[in-house]
């Protein structure tokens, strides 16, 4: 896998985790402590997701560099006296 594919899979995994966490947060059987811990984990996951999305945005905004032209032979001139 290359870097964009890894970032894409990380973003999808974080989004999926956040969706599941929101569903779990609605569970009435969670204790106050568990709910607080889940919200703290969700904040950390959101920060990680924002960082990954920022990386992707920076990669897309970088201008594509033109390939370096192959070495070409200089024109030679023979000078005589």
């Amino acid at each position: 896998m290359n870097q964009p594919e890894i970032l894409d899979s990380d973003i999808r995994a974080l989004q999926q985790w956040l969706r599941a966490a929101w569903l779990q947060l609605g569970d009435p059987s969670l204790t106050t402590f568990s709910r607080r811990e889940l919200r703290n984990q969700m904040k950390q996951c959101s920060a990680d997701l924002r960082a990954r999305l920022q990386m992707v945005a920076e990669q897309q905004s970088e201008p594509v560099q033109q390939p370096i032209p192959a070495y070409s032979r200089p024109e030679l001139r023979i000078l005589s006296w």
Side-chain angles (χ1 to χ4, degrees), residues 16-80:
Q16 186 178 17
W17 188 90
L18 277 172
R19 274 190 219 104
W22 276 108
L23 292 173
Q24 187 178 1
L25 195 59
D27 186 5
S29 66
L30 280 180
T31 63
T32 304
F33 177 76
S34 297
R35 196 175 303 274
R36 185 180 315 127
E37 285 299 311
L38 183 59
R39 282 195 307 260
N40 288 339
Q41 291 175 1
M42 289 171 72
K43 286 178 187 177
Q44 182 61 46
C45 185
S46 294
D48 293 343
L49 180 59
R50 268 187 255 113
R52 301 294 192 294
L53 290 172
Q54 183 66 32
M55 284 184 218
V56 169
E58 288 171 0
Q59 285 180 353
Q60 289 176 350
S61 67
E62 291 177 1
V64 177
Q65 296 179 356
Q66 296 295 327
I68 299 172
Y71 176 75
S72 63
R73 216 170 155 172
E75 293 181 28
L76 297 178
R77 295 184 192 170
I78 299 177
L79 300 174
S80 64

